[in-house]
Amino acid sequence: MAEHLTEHIVFNKPKIELHVHLDGAIRVETILDVAERRGITLPACTVKEMTHICVVHQPATLTEFLGKFTEYMHIIAGDREAIKRIAYEFVEDKAKEGVIYVEVRYSPHFLANTDVEPIPWNQKEGDLSPDEVVRLVNQGLADGEKAFNIIARSILCCMRHMPSWSMGVVELCKKYKKDGVVAIDLAGDESLNCEAYPGHRMAYEEAERCGVHRTVHAGEVGPASVVKEAVEVLKAERIGHGYNTLEDQVLYKQLLEQNMHFEVCPISSKLTGACDPDFTKHPVITFRKDKANYSLNTDDPLIFNSTLHLDYSTAQKYMGFTEEEFKRLNINSANSSFLPEKEKKDLVNKLYEAYGMVENTGF
Ligand SMILES: O=c1[nH]cnc2c1ncn2[C@H]1C[C@H](O)[C@@H](CO)O1
């Protein structure tokens, strides 16, 4: 996209990222490598050609955007080495962007080829279960943490169109709570299935009962009622995107009072058609003016051909964001992370120190 050419680093300080999909953040080189090793033919053989295939170039719809995953997920899914590798490389890429704490999300079922019904991406049945996928990602993230000196935690996604997977997802969240899995999410096509099915509701009830943190994609392209349901029924503690909350001012004011965290993804919101392509009209400008609690995130940097720097420079260039606001939103992000309290406090203090601020004299 054009902005890429003028991208520069506008906030070269430690950052927090809370909303990024592992399977939307894979290196194109890795897709090509793995395809070659596995003997899978791709419609492209250079990074440039493959990038062109994977990327959304013009504002599209969420449904069209989600279709991009079918271009490459069959390459990575079902392959132990590839799954560990994408997790490790993800941590390296985030460290290079100056991220010191990241929560990365994915659907374990989408990367498996057994114990999952239906088996995704037209794979043949194999022997890689969603449970083992989580262990492999955990291993890749842990190796990356050691190598690149950042903290990486994970969030497991339920998918809107697959309520039958959701109880399995929450069980994995419980099982791997001590192993870096910090929360459950509900992702997928909100424009097709906006009401949470019983399968999702039961999984979120179980999550709440067991102290598993909860975030939900809501109000990205769906109406404010999806956000309301996420908060009131699914007991979401954070909202993925949440732009359309602004359509219901009563709800919005209530969420401002509750200090609800919105995981905002500027570049994503343009290319999925969630928001007006004119960034000067973006909902995060209202969030900022109202001193709402939100983060800035990439969402799916592979498919948007973007970096976290691009989201920040876009916020600065078109939305009037300042260095002070970048600091404020990162401190809010750290405070809204799903880390245990003590670790969260340490993270917040790290930011205060890096930003040359004394705690509590801030905003
Ligand atoms: O922006 C998004 N909205 C809804 N679902 C999404 C978005 N980005 C990625 N996903 C889906 C596709 C991925 O395969 C899945 C798990 O990461 O989550």
Side-chain angles (χ1 to χ4, degrees):
M1 55 196 303
E3 285 92 333
H4 229 162
L5 304 173
T6 56
E7 175 192 341
H8 59 291
I9 300 176
V10 297
F11 187 61
N12 200 10
K13 295 205 161 63
K15 289 178 280 299
I16 309 295
E17 188 168 9
L18 301 180
H19 189 124
V20 51
H21 293 257
L22 180 62
D23 51 337
I26 304 170
R27 295 179 188 168
V28 175
E29 292 85 343
T30 302
I31 296 171
L32 292 172
D33 257 20
V34 175
E36 191 180 353
R37 170 171 59 74
R38 299 182 73 187
I40 303 174
T41 311
L42 281 176
C45 43
T46 66
V47 170
K48 196 168 167 218
E49 288 165 356
M50 193 60 199
T51 302
H52 191 79
I53 289 172
C54 295
V55 164
V56 172
H57 300 273
Q58 298 293 329
T61 62
L62 186 65
T63 312
E64 283 169 299
F65 149 74
L66 289 169
K68 285 287 179 184
F69 287 83
T70 57
E71 302 288 354
Y72 62 85
M73 282 297 279
H74 62 290
I75 309 293
I76 306 296
D79 191 275
R80 291 177 171 80
E81 193 183 314
I83 291 168
K84 212 163 132 177
R85 175 173 170 184
I86 62 167
Y88 180 85
E89 291 177 345
F90 170 82
V91 179
E92 180 174 19
D93 293 345
K94 286 298 141 189
K96 282 195 182 136
E97 289 179 335
V99 171
I100 60 164
Y101 176 75
V102 63
E103 287 173 9
V104 63
R105 63 188 71 194
Y106 63 98
S107 157
H109 294 77
F110 268 173
L111 291 166
N113 60 16
T114 193
D115 286 353
V116 52
E117 174 54 41
I119 298 173
W121 320 115
N122 287 323
Q123 295 175 93
K124 287 207 195 83
E125 167 119 41
D127 60 359
L128 183 57
S129 64
D131 188 303
E132 192 181 350
V133 166
V134 176
R135 272 179 278 147
L136 290 163
V137 172
N138 288 347
Q139 189 64 61
L141 295 178
D143 290 350
E145 284 187 308
K146 275 189 217 109
F148 306 110
N149 192 31
I150 81 170
I151 305 171
R153 297 288 178 265
S154 57
I155 296 174
L156 305 185
C157 298
C158 306
M159 298 306 300
R160 288 240 175 226
H161 67 297
M162 290 306 308
S164 60
W165 291 351
S166 293
M167 280 312 289
V169 175
V170 74
E171 289 306 321
L172 291 171
C173 292
K174 285 157 62 180
K175 182 168 177 186
Y176 292 106
K177 209 173 168 187
K178 292 214 163 26
D179 226 344
V181 176
V182 291
I184 191 166
D185 178 35
L186 176 54
D189 203 336
E190 192 195 1
S191 63
L192 300 182
N193 294 293
C194 59
E195 199 190 311
Y197 291 122
H200 302 316
R201 286 210 297 270
M202 278 160 54
Y204 271 73
E205 256 167 43
E206 178 68 0
E208 192 195 15
R209 195 182 70 79
C210 299
V212 170
H213 287 295
R214 299 161 305 281
T215 180
V216 173
H217 281 71
E220 179 183 17
V221 299
S225 58
V226 186
V227 179
K228 200 173 161 73
E229 182 190 52
V231 176
E232 291 177 2
V233 179
L234 301 178
K235 305 283 190 282
E237 300 161 273
R238 297 197 321 229
I239 296 294
H241 305 276
Y243 316 120
N244 294 334
T245 310
L246 295 179
E247 288 172 357
D248 179 344
Q249 281 297 307
V250 175
L251 176 67
Y252 177 54
K253 294 222 166 70
Q254 180 197 321
L255 296 186
L256 281 179
E257 269 164 37
Q258 285 177 18
N259 202 32
M260 176 58 70
H261 183 88
F262 296 96
E263 302 160 356
V264 174
C265 310
I267 300 297
S268 157
S269 68
K270 173 178 171 173
L271 290 171
T272 58
C275 295
D276 192 310
D278 179 352
F279 283 124
T280 66
K281 298 183 178 146
H282 200 278
V284 77
I285 299 172
T286 304
F287 292 172
R288 192 195 70 225
K289 286 185 181 147
D290 293 339
K291 293 221 173 291
N293 175 6
Y294 62 89
S295 47
L296 291 182
N297 308 279
T298 54
D299 203 9
D300 298 279
L302 161 63
I303 301 176
F304 304 128
N305 197 20
S306 67
T307 65
L308 193 55
H309 296 309
L310 182 61
D311 283 287
Y312 275 70
S313 60
T314 300
Q316 189 209 46
K317 197 167 165 193
Y318 301 103
M319 306 174 189
F321 275 60
T322 60
E323 170 107 355
E324 283 315 287
E325 184 62 14
F326 289 141
K327 290 179 181 173
R328 190 190 79 89
L329 77 88
N330 273 282
I331 289 166
N332 276 337
S333 306
N335 272 316
S336 304
S337 73
F338 289 143
L339 281 172
E341 285 308 315
K342 165 80 177 78
E343 287 167 57
K344 191 192 285 192
K345 205 158 189 296
D346 290 347
L347 181 64
V348 173
N349 285 336
K350 227 190 252 183
L351 289 186
Y352 276 118
E353 206 167 300
Y355 297 165
M357 294 163 64
V358 181
E359 194 178 357
N360 296 332
T361 60
F363 315 95

